Amino acid sequence: MSGKTSIYRFMSAGCNGCDVQILECLVPRYKLADLGVEVVFTPEEANVLAITGGINVKGREELKKAYEKLKPPKLVVAVGNCAITKEIFDKGYPMVGPPDQIIPVNFYISGCPPRPQAIVTAVAKALGATLEEKEEYWATPEGFRGKHEFDSEKCMGCGACAQVCSSDAIDVLEDNGKRFIKVDYGHCSFCAFCQDECPTEAIKLTKEYHMLTDNRNTANVTNEVDLFKCASCGTYFIPARQVEWALQRIENEVSEYKDFHRNLRTAMELCHTCRRKISNIRNAKKLLSQLSPKVRAV
Amino acid sequence: MPEIVQIGPYRPQLLEPERFELVVENNKIIDANIELGYVHRGIEKLFTTKTYMQNLALAERICGICSGVHTLCYAQTAEGVIDVTVPDRARYLRCIYMEIERLHSHYLWFGVVTHSLHENNAFLKIMGEREHVQDLLEYLTGNRINYLINTIGGVRRDITSPKTERIQKVMDNMKALSNYLLALLDENGSLTKKTEGVGILPKDKALDLGAVGPTLRGSGIESDVRKDDPYAAYGELDFEVITEEDGDVRAKSLVRARETLESIKIIEQALDNLPSGEIATKPGEPLEKEEVGRAEAPRGELVYYIKSNGTNIPERVKVRTPSFANDFTLIEMLRGDLLQNARIIIESIDPCFACTDRLTVLDTKAGKKRRMILK
Ligand code: SF4
Ligand code: SF4
């Protein structure tokens, strides 16, 4: 983009955090001015629109108006996860966004909020400029809660992370004998509850904070595990590793059940539907007899 | 002939949108009206769809600037309906984290105000120095804003060496920044000229209208939840409740500047007296109960109400934020003042940032709208 870049910030229905980060970008340390970028006060003066927040009923028309007034090339940047997916406010009743449902959006900067460093770097990238990345302040400290990473050796696909997730950012999908744990980090509040709750410490929030994309469907990290087939009816129903993990835990923690181990395994290899079919002893015997020749002798 | 001047809802500099309608005659504000709702997200309803733990993340996103005290107040209130005791170390750690937050919030307020008043050097100095606090928060908690450090039953991260030394170092720097702010507000200070006598909120009105926090203390009333109804470890720490008599914008600024020094004092004391032990207890089951909790946010008293039906999802959560209490005092402060002061008056209550760049002047007689930019 040639000429001066003038950004107008528009906010509706976010927490204000992203707005503060944009203000912080004006501090010389972040070198926003070095890129020839200024923040202006009216949409008429601007050629770039930075949106924060997920847009509610009251903000919708205002957003359209602001977009119309923008000077060419009318670049629109969604700053922060609210502006990408409405994040934690997704199911809020006054919400009508995300913004790209209302006006065209060119770039998405993920984060909650994105660091000023991420915003400035994203702006530079969008402008085709390069920034010096030497200074220590571009680095993230230990313990930073950034983009997720799976340890595919450890993840057993149990979906505990999806259950505790504060922002409905994790989907558990199944297809053709596989289970996918999909973290939509554009929908994530970076609370790290998933990391805290994961029984096998398989999911981690890393120090990576550059999460710029022009296609919001790419803002995710996915892990894949194999599913196990029901020993009776043959449908896929539970991750194979989860069965092993559960049995191992029973063996370690309640060793008095050790003797039942084989029976437990047999029971766990049945899907819910098949288990529910057991309504009386005769049923149970019939089912078990299909599975194990030993039962027949009983 | 009076005309109606609209401020907002969208002002680009910082802030959340809000709309003000001022009735103006000869440049003097006769009356004012406030319209909210541009940031409404249906949070109280959302609270009843998530578990107590998940709601921590939601509570902190009510306001990104005082996000920490929202999680604290929510957690404290939830601790009233859930069977759990907070360890002593966590109580002290909570004070440390919350006072660091007050520092960043108050400094940010000065940043916004100097920006509005075109004190560009002061703006760059304040925001530049404030970065040390932001870096510190990121280093201690893993995020610059929305740090989710409080949890039900304690805090999520401990403070030990070398974090302790880093905090101490930043506090030494911040004392200098606070003194710089005080200098801006002394007799010949550049802020004094622009804020003295502006937007006066008399003592009785402050009380009548239910003002809270620095807005109330700037009108000479000594009221602070940390003192009046001590929570966390505030009852065991020595600090002063800052008040100023004048009730104008300068008084409110002075309260904030002096409070930053008190916050530093609290942080240092809490670090020196940090009890040993655990930083969190695992919460038990929710009981069938209701609870009200409050805490002193940077902008004033924050109130949470939680009704539990014994399940892990609350039945009702109600939040009264300090800005909501203070917003209505604006009408009083704006009345009788000059139009050019409107913006600084609105900002003086720190309404999670006011929104005052764009004006629409409505000529009531001709029924025409004229747009002005307040810079
Ligand atoms: S993305 Fe996060 S920080 Fe930004 S407005 Fe939304 S909740 Fe706030
Ligand atoms: S950090 Fe994990 S648990 Fe938290 S919102 Fe993101 S995906 Fe969900």
Side-chain angles (χ1 to χ4, degrees):
Chain A
M1 207 165 92
S2 61
K4 190 126 183 98
T5 307
S6 310
I7 302 183
Y8 173 73
R9 185 186 58 82
F10 180 94
M11 187 255 200
S12 168
C15 80
N16 222 338
C18 288
D19 305 80
V20 176
Q21 300 310 297
I22 294 176
L23 184 82
E24 285 169 359
C25 287
L26 300 177
V27 175
R29 161 188 187 184
Y30 295 118
K31 305 183 184 328
L32 189 66
D34 292 3
L35 293 170
V37 176
E38 54 169 9
V39 175
V40 293
F41 299 140
T42 63
E44 289 88 345
E45 295 167 77
N47 48 18
V48 176
L49 183 63
I51 307 176
T52 65
I55 315 295
N56 68 8
V57 216
K58 269 188 146 170
R60 177 170 42 198
E61 293 310 310
E62 301 285 339
L63 176 62
K64 284 188 198 157
K65 275 189 237 160
Y67 179 71
E68 265 157 37
K69 287 177 193 151
L70 215 58
K71 286 192 297 197
K74 280 188 189 273
L75 271 188
V76 181
V77 189
V79 181
N81 283 354
C82 283
I84 304 179
T85 57
K86 303 183 276 182
E87 202 205 276
I88 203 164
F89 310 117
D90 194 357
K91 301 204 171 85
Y93 58 81
M95 306 299 288
V96 296
D100 64 3
Q101 306 281 307
I102 300 165
I103 59 167
V105 172
N106 305 83
F107 293 103
Y108 303 86
I109 307 173
S110 175
C112 186
R115 302 177 92 199
Q117 290 95 323
I119 300 176
V120 176
T121 315
V123 171
K125 231 184 227 170
L127 298 178
T130 39
L131 281 169
E132 230 192 313
E133 294 214 19
K134 265 192 233 140
E135 296 87 343
E136 52 160 14
Y137 49 71
W138 295 97
T140 31
E142 275 318 313
F144 181 79
R145 302 193 305 255
K147 188 173 165 177
H148 309 64
E149 191 180 81
F150 277 105
D151 183 335
S152 53
E153 292 296 307
K154 285 183 180 167
C155 174
M156 56 177 173
C158 68
C161 50
Q163 281 194 10
V164 297
C165 176
S166 64
S167 311
D168 302 323
I170 307 183
D171 283 327
V172 180
L173 308 164
E174 284 177 11
D175 187 31
N176 208 11
K178 302 260 182 219
R179 179 179 278 187
F180 304 91
I181 308 290
K182 182 175 163 209
V183 180
D184 182 356
Y185 58 77
H187 205 303
C188 162
S189 68
F190 299 90
C191 65
F193 289 164
C194 50
Q195 173 176 311
D196 292 359
E197 287 304 318
C198 175
T200 58
E201 297 183 1
I203 186 167
K204 287 251 147 49
L205 272 67
T206 64
K207 286 159 77 177
E208 177 56 48
Y209 66 92
H210 291 297
M211 294 177 272
L212 172 75
T213 175
D214 55 7
N215 175 2
R216 79 162 151 130
N217 297 325
T218 61
N220 59 65
V221 182
T222 308
N223 191 46
E224 174 188 314
V225 295
D226 290 328
L227 286 174
F228 185 85
K229 263 185 189 161
C230 171
S232 170
C233 68
T235 38
Y236 289 110
F237 76 105
I238 194 174
R241 275 193 203 159
Q242 195 179 348
V243 176
E244 294 310 321
W245 181 82
L247 286 169
Q248 195 59 51
R249 236 172 90 99
I250 293 168
E251 208 176 315
N252 295 347
E253 307 219 346
V254 268
S255 47
E256 55 271 34
Y257 287 149
K258 225 174 182 160
D259 296 346
F260 300 111
H261 210 88
R262 189 151 356 103
N263 295 5
L264 279 172
R265 177 180 290 271
T266 314
M268 284 178 82
E269 288 173 354
L270 289 178
C271 74
H272 311 292
T273 330
C274 289
R275 264 182 247 166
R276 246 178 252 127
K277 280 187 192 144
I278 308 175
S279 52
N280 53 41
I281 300 281
R282 206 196 303 153
N283 254 337
K285 272 197 179 164
K286 200 172 140 207
L287 187 67
L288 288 174
S289 64
Q290 292 169 5
L291 299 173
S292 143
K294 268 173 98 187
V295 182
R296 254 173 248 151
V298 182
Chain B
M1 180 206 60
E3 54 178 353
I4 294 178
V5 177
Q6 263 191 37
I7 304 183
Y10 284 94
R11 83 154 201 167
Q13 250 174 347
L14 230 217
L15 152 77
E16 316 169 49
E18 237 174 338
R19 184 158 73 189
F20 296 85
E21 249 176 32
L22 309 178
V23 184
V24 179
E25 190 160 20
N26 296 333
N27 241 356
K28 214 169 161 188
I29 304 166
I30 316 175
D31 207 350
N33 206 348
I34 305 175
E35 185 194 339
L36 304 165
Y38 291 90
V39 222
H40 186 62
R41 289 150 285 171
I43 288 179
E44 290 185 7
K45 177 73 185 154
L46 284 174
F47 268 126
T48 62
T49 64
K50 293 179 188 288
T51 65
Y52 281 98
M53 282 305 275
Q54 291 169 338
N55 276 335
L56 281 163
L58 182 60
E60 97 176 331
R61 282 169 183 73
I62 290 178
C63 167
I65 301 160
C66 44
S67 59
V69 73
H70 273 278
T71 56
L72 175 67
C73 193
Y74 168 78
Q76 285 182 164
T77 315
E79 281 152 12
V81 300
I82 295 174
D83 190 18
V84 66
T85 331
V86 180
D88 284 343
R89 188 174 177 87
R91 291 194 295 112
Y92 275 74
L93 289 171
R94 281 178 172 182
C95 291
I96 298 173
Y97 289 123
M98 291 309 99
E99 292 311 313
I100 300 178
E101 170 170 279
R102 197 178 314 276
L103 287 178
H104 106 72
S105 178
H106 280 2
Y107 292 148
L108 178 65
W109 180 81
F110 278 98
V112 173
V113 166
T114 47
H115 202 204
S116 310
L117 293 173
H118 304 284
E119 298 276 339
N120 206 34
N121 290 338
F123 167 76
L124 291 177
K125 157 118 184 148
I126 296 165
M127 292 301 285
E129 288 294 313
R130 178 179 165 276
E131 283 295 308
H132 293 293
V133 182
Q134 292 309 97
D135 285 352
L136 180 64
L137 280 167
E138 188 178 53
Y139 166 69
L140 294 174
T141 68
N143 209 354
R144 296 166 63 93
I145 278 184
N146 294 338
Y147 13 85
L148 202 63
I149 194 68
N150 296 299
T151 183
I152 299 169
V155 295
R156 294 174 79 201
R157 292 192 188 183
D158 203 355
I159 296 177
T160 49
S161 180
K163 290 181 177 169
T164 322
E165 291 74 26
R166 168 99 178 250
I167 299 176
Q168 196 53 58
K169 208 173 129 218
V170 174
M171 289 309 124
D172 290 341
N173 285 332
M174 290 309 111
K175 278 177 204 159
L177 178 60
S178 297
N179 287 325
Y180 168 80
L181 296 177
L182 285 172
L184 290 178
L185 288 161
D186 71 13
E187 270 158 58
N188 306 313
S190 58
L191 282 187
T192 302
K193 276 177 266 151
K194 295 178 175 168
T195 56
E196 207 167 21
V198 173
I200 296 176
L201 182 66
K203 211 175 194 158
D204 54 330
K205 289 282 181 195
L207 280 175
D208 286 356
L209 293 166
V212 294
T215 308
L216 180 65
R217 295 194 284 273
S219 295
I221 292 153
E222 199 180 320
S223 158
D224 188 319
V225 185
R226 291 175 294 172
K227 255 310 188 253
D228 305 341
D229 187 6
Y231 53 93
Y234 287 110
E236 293 136 59
L237 299 166
D238 174 42
F239 65 100
E240 206 188 311
V241 176
I242 306 293
T243 57
E244 286 287 336
E245 289 304 315
D246 297 345
D248 56 3
V249 177
R250 174 168 177 259
K252 295 189 244 295
S253 315
L254 267 174
V255 167
R256 292 195 179 91
R258 290 175 57 203
E259 271 180 17
T260 56
L261 286 168
E262 290 303 307
S263 294
I264 297 172
K265 207 165 101 187
I266 295 174
I267 295 165
E268 291 177 338
Q269 273 177 65
L271 277 179
D272 288 344
N273 300 306
L274 201 58
S276 56
E278 293 293 312
I279 60 163
T281 320
K282 208 173 154 39
E285 296 295 315
L287 314 165
E288 231 174 285
K289 230 178 136 186
E290 331 171 68
E291 182 76 19
V292 174
R294 50 185 195 145
E296 186 73 21
R299 290 159 188 75
E301 182 199 42
L302 171 67
V303 186
Y304 267 78
Y305 161 83
I306 297 178
K307 182 173 182 207
S308 158
N309 53 15
T311 67
N312 66 348
I313 293 175
E315 187 169 310
R316 177 82 172 98
V317 178
K318 168 85 198 142
V319 189
R320 209 292 320 276
T321 61
S323 291
F324 190 72
N326 284 333
D327 259 0
F328 302 97
T329 64
L330 280 176
I331 300 177
E332 174 64 31
M333 289 188 242
L334 287 165
R335 265 186 206 146
D337 224 300
L338 298 174
L339 180 58
Q340 67 259 35
N341 289 336
R343 172 168 167 175
I344 182 73
I345 294 175
I346 293 170
E347 269 166 8
S348 78
I349 69 158
D350 195 0
C352 271
F353 300 77
C355 53
T356 25
D357 284 288
R358 228 170 47 190
L359 286 185
T360 313
V361 178
L362 203 107
D363 187 329
T364 34
K365 201 154 188 194
K368 268 195 222 132
K369 277 187 190 175
R370 193 150 55 80
R371 207 155 252 182
M372 282 168 47
I373 314 286
L374 250 197
K375 275 190 184 171

